[in-house]
Amino acid sequence: MTSYLTLSAALAATLIAAPLAAKAEWQPKGPITMMIAFTAGGAADTQARLIAEELEERKGWKVIPEAVLGKGGGVLAARLAKSPADGTAIGIVVSETVSYNMLAEKKPGYAENDFTYLTTTAGTQMGIVAKSNRGWKSLADVTDAIKKGQKVSFGAMSQKLADGAYLLGKSQGVSYNIVNLKGGKAVLDAVTAGDVDIGWVAGIQKRSVDSGDLVNLASAEKKRLKMSPAAPTLKEFGFNGDFGIYFMFVAPKDIPGEARAALTQAIADILKDPKSKTNAFIVKIFEEPSVITGAELEKYIGTQIVEAKDMLEEASK
């Protein structure tokens, strides 16, 4: 009798566990459209396409990358918000898309609650960059040059960064000629070519900084940059601004819990695996992956929205 009961209990446990295991193995109903808000060939676009490739290899899901450009990710966000909420539509944007950019637009076509936030992939190493041969060692040198009569152009690739350049100059008692460009690579290229004097660059300057061609005049993150630990933060110059951003995957709101869990875990596994091509690329460009998910990610977005409101108000004065 004992053996029979033991066998029955084991069989019951197996029957109970089987549906749970099957449920955990979520599969999309069809191909997954991965919308990408970044210019082809750039670091952000490349990491997204590598993730799409490795999702196919590891999970067997058909993933179709699609560039959806415009308005700092706003065009993508508006489209994604109206896409099927079943896990077959995801997008990669920056945190500014659902905070500063959204609030700066009069009619963005989406709100922060229109999305399920899956995971971040990497943070930035946002610096203010110049060519080394200009002779500037820090932002203080640029400020001195302007006060002596030199005009300085400042490349920016988003509304927040353009407003940030304006407010930064105001805090230093100077004014920059702000030049709006499309994407971080465009800013980097403009600085390198001498088309602008300084510019915001979010990490892809590392190779040129390491070679000595470019210099980070200041860190625009809360902390000093790993690639240039000697460069002061903006806070050290008396300007309390944080311009670091995260790249992140989002989906339409109300996707099934199992879809959210499966997509988040699959992407996170790729990011954290030191043997993955995505991990190697992110380490090379952005120093390291950064995986923030769930309630922590939602809290971060909420904080960004509050800070964006404050900065927009200040910029409008």
Side-chain angles (χ1 to χ4, degrees):
M1 180 66 70
T2 302
S3 60
Y4 173 77
L5 290 174
T6 302
L7 179 61
S8 297
L11 179 59
T14 301
L15 291 173
I16 291 171
L20 293 176
K23 185 176 181 180
E25 292 296 326
W26 174 83
Q27 293 294 324
K29 296 179 180 179
I32 298 173
T33 299
M34 178 188 285
M35 303 180 202
I36 303 172
F38 310 104
T39 306
D45 173 76
T46 300
Q47 66 161 313
R49 292 178 186 276
L50 285 172
I51 288 171
E53 181 182 324
E54 295 197 88
L55 283 174
E56 288 198 344
E57 293 173 354
R58 293 174 178 229
K59 306 299 293 186
W61 302 338
K62 179 65 177 176
V63 183
I64 304 173
E66 179 183 353
V68 183
L69 309 177
K71 296 184 177 180
V75 173
L76 185 157
R79 176 175 159 186
L80 185 64
K82 297 177 177 64
S83 296
D86 59 3
T88 61
I90 61 176
I92 182 169
V93 295
V94 289
S95 46
E96 282 183 19
T97 300
V98 290
S99 55
Y100 203 93
N101 296 355
M102 178 184 69
L103 295 173
E105 286 282 335
K106 292 183 178 180
K107 295 182 179 180
Y110 63 94
E112 66 270 23
N113 294 329
D114 286 335
F115 306 103
T116 299
Y117 297 96
L118 301 176
T119 182
T120 59
T121 65
T124 53
Q125 286 280 291
M126 185 75 75
I128 298 176
V129 177
K131 292 188 73 172
S132 296
N133 62 15
R134 298 301 298 269
W136 298 326
K137 302 298 183 183
S138 80
L139 185 64
D141 296 328
V142 179
T143 300
D144 288 343
I146 296 174
K147 288 182 176 180
K148 290 177 181 177
Q150 186 171 340
K151 294 182 179 180
V152 173
S153 55
F154 198 141
M157 62 277 203
S158 72
Q159 180 67 53
K160 179 179 180 179
L161 293 174
D163 289 347
Y166 162 72
L167 292 173
L168 174 61
K170 187 177 178 181
S171 75
Q172 305 302 299
V174 299
S175 180
Y176 308 112
N177 176 25
I178 300 168
V179 180
N180 294 300
L181 298 165
K182 293 185 178 180
K185 188 175 186 301
V187 174
L188 179 64
D189 290 344
V191 172
T192 302
D195 296 331
V196 298
D197 299 305
I198 62 177
W200 305 102
V201 189
I204 55 175
Q205 72 270 37
K206 185 177 187 303
R207 180 180 296 177
S208 296
V209 169
D210 288 346
S211 70
D213 293 334
L214 298 180
V215 58
N216 282 305
L217 301 171
S219 167
E221 306 272 344
K222 290 182 178 179
K223 299 179 180 180
R224 292 193 175 199
L225 303 175
K226 292 183 179 180
M227 71 178 82
S228 301
T233 64
L234 293 181
K235 189 172 183 179
E236 291 175 73
F237 288 106
F239 182 61
N240 192 25
D242 174 21
F243 297 92
I245 58 177
Y246 283 102
F247 300 97
M248 63 181 187
F249 278 100
V250 296
K253 69 176 181 179
D254 297 331
I255 68 170
E258 61 268 25
R260 178 181 188 175
L263 288 164
T264 299
Q265 189 64 55
I267 296 170
D269 286 346
I270 291 169
L271 294 168
K272 293 177 180 178
D273 183 358
K275 296 181 180 179
S276 78
K277 290 177 286 187
T278 303
N279 178 283
F281 179 79
I282 288 176
V283 168
K284 179 180 178 181
I285 301 298
F286 301 107
E287 299 286 353
E288 61 185 5
S290 181
V291 180
I292 305 173
T293 64
E296 184 181 0
L297 179 52
E298 291 171 357
K299 181 179 179 181
Y300 167 76
I301 295 299
T303 300
Q304 288 295 297
I305 290 172
V306 171
E307 292 179 359
K309 288 178 180 178
D310 292 342
M311 186 172 166
L312 281 164
E313 182 178 350
E314 183 65 26
S316 66
K317 292 179 181 179

